[in-house]
Amino acid sequence: MKTSIATVSISGDFPEKLAAIAAAGFDGIEIFENDFLAFDGRPAEVGQMVRDQGMEIFLFQPFRDFEGMPEPQRARAFDRAERKFELMNELGTDLVLICSNVSPLSLGGIDRAADDFAELGELAAKHDVRVGYEALAWGRHINDHRDAWEIVRRANHPNVGLILDSFHTLARKIDVNSIRSIPADKIFFVQLADAPLIDMDLLYWSRHFRNMPGEGDLPVVDFMRAVASTGYAGTLSLEIFNDQFRGGSPKAISVDGHRSLTYLMDRVKRLEPEVRMDVPHMPDRIEVSGVEFVEFTADESDAADIGGLLQTLGFARSGAHKSKDVTLWRQGDINILINTEDEGFAHSSYLVHGTGVCDIGLRVEDAAATVARARALGGVPFSQAIGPGELEIPAIRGVGGGIMHFIDKKTELANIWEIDFEVDPAPEPVNPVGLTRLDHLAQTMNYEELLTWLLFYTSIFKTEKAPMVDMVDPGGLIRSQVIENEEGSLRFSLNGAQSTKTLAGHFISERFGSAVQHLAFATNDMFATAEALEKNGFKPLSISPNYYDDLDARFALDEPLLDRLKQHNILYDRDANGEFFQLYSPNYGEGFFFEIVERREGYAGYGAANAQFRLAAQKRLLSMSSQAHL
Ligand code: MG
Ligand code: MG
């Protein structure tokens, strides 16, 4: 199947758009008339520019307000169509999209519209072009693909066919299975878009909030399964109107678009094995069973600070890399690495972003398969020099300039700690605090990049996204999107900052880009952990007494429990399954922090209701520390 994207989907001038689209691997484009209106070249030159990039123009659009017009508008519509057909000949494309009429002048009637299309089909044939009819969700008389199909069927002309657009069908909740009975040769073109579920005017929703398949909440996979079941093997084209995308990087948005189409086709191929779906072969979405390690890059002095902090959190310095300046810190099932090398990836990350997390190691079923899937989806493999006898650990570049490594149990990778590290069998004495594993990891990025991260993770790994929540920071909103796997062994929280006045925004602007902002460790006994931490000299983030008044009002907790929570600065939440306890460290540097959580009886959330209290406390601390010039 050929892949295409509408030029309106991305930002930039026309040559920039073409270069970005071609580089992302698309076979061609849908061209919008506005593209030439803004561009100086003749249609023939525009066509040549596209072909010079090795691409085709699959579709010209839009042609509006055609069918069902009274005279004299009807005759004018045919004149207008003829001029467009001539332009298409010059441009070198043979298909035009005619969207259903929205004019108050238009007259209804399936047969009237069918007659108009039959006549237009004759005119199109003379110019050697084809016309495709699309039902806009807000069309005046036709707003349902089933009615558009009936018009095309009655027009009964070889140059007249149907154009399906997932947004228009799904936004009106039209049963996608009605597509299965349309003959494939009458489906001239298929447009794909997703969107977040927002209850608003359809036209406004469509023009501003569409996003790539997989980024929103619409059942685009079901739509595509129905299309594929007809035998349609033509072009799949992204038609995405989105305000952020139009202001974003043409390169990044094009890469996301190609990834979303590949991912969609891969899903459909697995769900409808009998349909023809030309998509590169790749392993299925990868199961992750946990985080094997988190690696910090730091200079010597920061490394000593982080080490001290980890010790307070109950970690033991448990070893070092055989050939690199990397130390291993352990507690329970958690491995933290601190890298102070003065070359290699960690060092270059340090030079650009300063101290922070530069690498995440995931435990997967098959590390090589993980890289293969990531590659098929446009991911970039990563490797760097290793010492003699050391493991070549499969890795890819993440979205925000970080690296992800993959460890599996089926190869030598299972012995990473024995092979690459000198592990201390009896690490120096420490006071463990009962941390068992990494519960979740939070990454912060500019809001515009959030969907890129989301698509990256959900297309490669077997994960689902939780509903997006808004967190209120005193400096503005932070949009938070959790992705997690079914068993909860992989939980990433993606936080999109809209303003640098928020803690998250401050953090990424000081770090020059997106990064891991907090690590949350799990304990099985929050109060025992809190007491052990205090003995180690740990000072938790101090929570306002108002929070506990509010908590009491919300949950009517027992007095002794409330007192204990307050005494240890522990936050509390409850859902239908169970209870949740949270404890935070202060911020380090420009806003990095640790969290400790206890989930009881399958509590599934992240304490979203507590976020504003936590953020307010962190902001107070940040303004104090910046005054003290820390
Ligand atoms: Mg459309
Ligand atoms: Mg958290």
Side-chain angles (χ1 to χ4, degrees):
M1 272 165 158
K2 298 226 164 127
T3 55
S4 158
I5 184 169
T7 49
V8 280
S9 310
I10 61 171
S11 67
D13 60 25
F14 192 64
E16 265 179 291
K17 288 183 185 195
L18 287 184
I21 292 169
F26 286 94
D27 300 307
I29 58 168
E30 292 179 25
I31 200 163
F32 267 64
E33 195 160 15
N34 280 351
D35 279 321
F36 331 99
L37 301 179
F39 181 70
D40 285 338
R42 298 281 314 146
E45 291 170 48
V46 170
Q48 196 51 51
M49 282 172 69
V50 176
R51 288 183 286 279
D52 286 347
Q53 292 279 359
M55 298 193 294
E56 291 175 55
I57 303 172
F58 292 118
L59 181 80
F60 173 78
Q61 78 143 315
F63 189 82
R64 300 184 195 281
D65 296 337
F66 164 72
E67 81 283 12
M69 285 304 219
E71 293 297 355
Q73 285 82 8
R74 185 177 185 278
R76 275 191 222 138
F78 277 88
D79 288 347
R80 206 155 45 88
E82 186 155 29
R83 285 204 303 277
K84 299 300 173 200
F85 294 164
E86 285 160 5
L87 189 148
M88 287 164 63
N89 288 158
E90 240 195 289
L91 195 58
T93 184
D94 80 329
L95 182 63
V96 59
L97 178 145
I98 301 191
C99 48
S100 60
N101 204 325
V102 299
S103 166
L105 296 174
S106 69
L107 307 167
I110 295 267
D111 284 322
R112 184 195 312 273
D115 289 347
D116 287 347
F117 272 104
E119 194 175 326
L120 190 67
E122 281 301 295
L123 189 62
K126 267 188 220 145
H127 291 83
D128 220 10
V129 298
R130 299 174 303 145
V131 301
Y133 184 42
E134 174 196 60
L136 292 177
W138 52 90
R140 192 161 182 92
H141 300 288
I142 301 299
N143 47 42
D144 182 323
H145 69 252
R146 292 169 294 194
D147 294 333
W149 161 233
E150 185 57 21
I151 288 169
V152 167
R153 196 183 69 78
R154 292 190 193 196
N156 191 24
H157 194 286
N159 292 54
V160 178
L162 184 68
I163 291 183
L164 292 168
D165 179 322
S166 63
F167 181 88
H168 294 299
T169 293
L170 298 173
R172 292 190 73 97
K173 300 191 175 68
I174 296 165
D175 181 6
V176 293
N177 291 312
S178 57
I179 293 169
R180 292 180 185 255
S181 53
I182 302 172
D185 63 337
K186 294 307 283 184
I187 303 174
F188 278 6
F189 202 69
V190 173
Q191 295 178 316
L192 295 161
D194 202 338
L197 271 186
I198 313 174
D199 192 12
M200 66 162 76
D201 172 68
L202 289 175
L203 174 61
Y204 197 79
W205 188 24
S206 173
R207 292 275 164 83
H208 300 274
F209 292 92
R210 286 183 179 216
N211 54 25
M212 305 297 179
E215 292 182 344
D217 301 316
L218 299 179
V220 183
V221 172
D222 295 341
F223 173 90
M224 194 54 222
R225 288 175 71 176
V227 170
S229 75
T230 67
Y232 177 82
T235 304
L236 297 182
S237 189
L238 297 165
E239 189 198 25
I240 317 289
F241 307 99
N242 181 300
D243 296 348
Q244 280 167 284
F245 295 178
R246 275 185 279 215
S249 143
K251 222 173 129 190
I253 302 294
S254 301
V255 168
D256 286 355
H258 201 265
R259 173 171 296 146
S260 82
L261 274 183
T262 311
Y263 174 39
L264 177 69
M265 290 190 278
D266 175 62
R267 288 295 293 278
V268 171
K269 188 178 165 189
R270 288 171 201 284
L271 293 163
E272 303 269 338
E274 71 287 357
V275 305
R276 185 178 146 211
M277 187 63 61
D278 304 325
V279 57
H281 179 73
M282 66 184 96
D284 201 353
R285 288 202 300 168
I286 305 295
E287 296 265 14
V288 179
S289 57
V291 174
E292 181 72 27
F293 66 81
V294 175
E295 179 169 337
F296 285 82
T297 175
D299 61 13
E300 295 293 342
S301 113
D302 286 348
D305 289 350
I306 299 171
L309 196 58
L310 289 174
Q311 223 149 13
T312 315
L313 287 166
F315 283 81
R317 188 183 185 285
S318 306
H321 195 278
K322 284 181 182 165
S323 68
K324 292 179 180 154
D325 293 325
V326 179
T327 54
L328 166 64
W329 295 76
R330 272 189 169 160
Q331 180 172 195
D333 200 17
I334 312 161
N335 298 303
I336 304 274
L337 303 177
I338 306 176
N339 186 322
T340 49
E341 283 276 290
D342 52 15
E343 58 184 18
F345 174 77
H347 185 63
S348 48
S349 169
Y350 174 80
L351 292 178
V352 178
H353 302 293
T355 295
V357 173
C358 62
D359 192 345
I360 299 166
L362 297 183
R363 291 180 197 130
V364 295
E365 173 77 30
D366 182 333
T370 310
V371 173
R373 179 166 178 92
R375 280 187 91 135
L377 288 159
V380 181
F382 170 82
S383 67
Q384 66 180 358
I386 52 168
E390 290 173 8
L391 289 170
E392 181 82 61
I393 307 172
I396 58 169
R397 290 185 180 275
V399 182
I403 294 292
M404 302 188 91
H405 276 93
F406 306 110
I407 308 293
D408 62 30
K409 287 226 177 339
K410 66 201 310 182
T411 63
E412 275 287 87
L413 293 167
N415 306 318
I416 169 182
W417 304 113
E418 291 71 32
I419 297 173
D420 284 9
F421 284 76
E422 211 68 74
V423 177
D424 187 346
E428 55 196 270
V430 281
N431 305 307
V433 306
L435 305 183
T436 56
R437 51 183 288 272
L438 186 80
D439 182 89
H440 64 275
L441 176 155
Q443 292 175 298
T444 299
M445 67 282 310
N446 284 312
Y447 176 62
E448 294 76 38
E449 298 161 20
L450 198 150
L451 291 175
T452 300
W453 289 68
L454 173 79
L455 185 67
F456 179 81
Y457 287 133
T458 52
S459 63
I460 299 173
F461 305 109
K462 199 164 176 205
T463 50
E464 299 304 328
K465 51 186 177 167
M468 197 178 276
V469 289
D470 289 337
M471 298 194 297
V472 183
D473 177 288
L477 275 190
I478 299 165
R479 314 216 71 186
S480 184
Q481 168 83 68
V482 166
I483 57 157
E484 54 198 358
N485 63 6
E486 213 178 317
E487 59 180 19
S489 55
L490 180 72
R491 301 177 191 264
F492 284 172
S493 151
L494 308 177
N495 299 299
Q498 288 176 309
S499 156
T500 54
K501 288 190 216 138
T502 60
L503 180 75
H506 174 81
F507 177 67
I508 53 178
S509 75
E510 292 300 316
R511 276 191 53 92
F512 302 103
S514 51
V516 172
Q517 193 176 2
H518 82 260
L519 298 178
F521 301 122
T523 171
N524 294 323
D525 184 343
M526 179 56 100
F527 292 105
T529 294
E531 277 162 24
L533 283 168
E534 277 155 36
K535 278 198 202 115
N536 287 356
F538 174 84
K539 295 258 180 300
L541 179 72
S542 168
I543 303 296
S544 155
N546 296 337
Y547 168 74
Y548 296 95
D549 293 342
D550 179 68
L551 199 59
D552 196 23
R554 277 193 288 150
F555 295 112
L557 297 175
D558 291 347
E559 205 62 36
L561 174 60
L562 197 63
D563 287 346
R564 284 187 91 191
L565 292 171
K566 204 172 185 170
Q567 182 200 336
H568 295 293
N569 289 287
I570 295 170
L571 299 144
Y572 175 89
D573 192 27
R574 196 153 75 198
D575 70 6
N577 301 315
E579 296 178 298
F580 189 52
F581 299 85
Q582 296 170 282
L583 179 70
Y584 286 94
S585 77
N587 318 318
Y588 304 109
E590 297 298 342
F592 179 86
F593 57 95
F594 293 102
E595 178 185 3
I596 294 162
V597 303
E598 181 189 349
R599 295 175 185 273
R600 285 191 193 163
E601 297 101 29
Y603 172 92
Y606 295 81
N610 295 329
Q612 58 172 320
F613 295 96
R614 184 258 296 174
L615 284 162
Q618 290 173 318
K619 285 296 280 286
R620 271 197 303 278
L621 213 57
L622 188 70
S623 65
M624 278 157 56
S625 72
S626 65
Q627 279 160 19
H629 219 86
L630 231 165

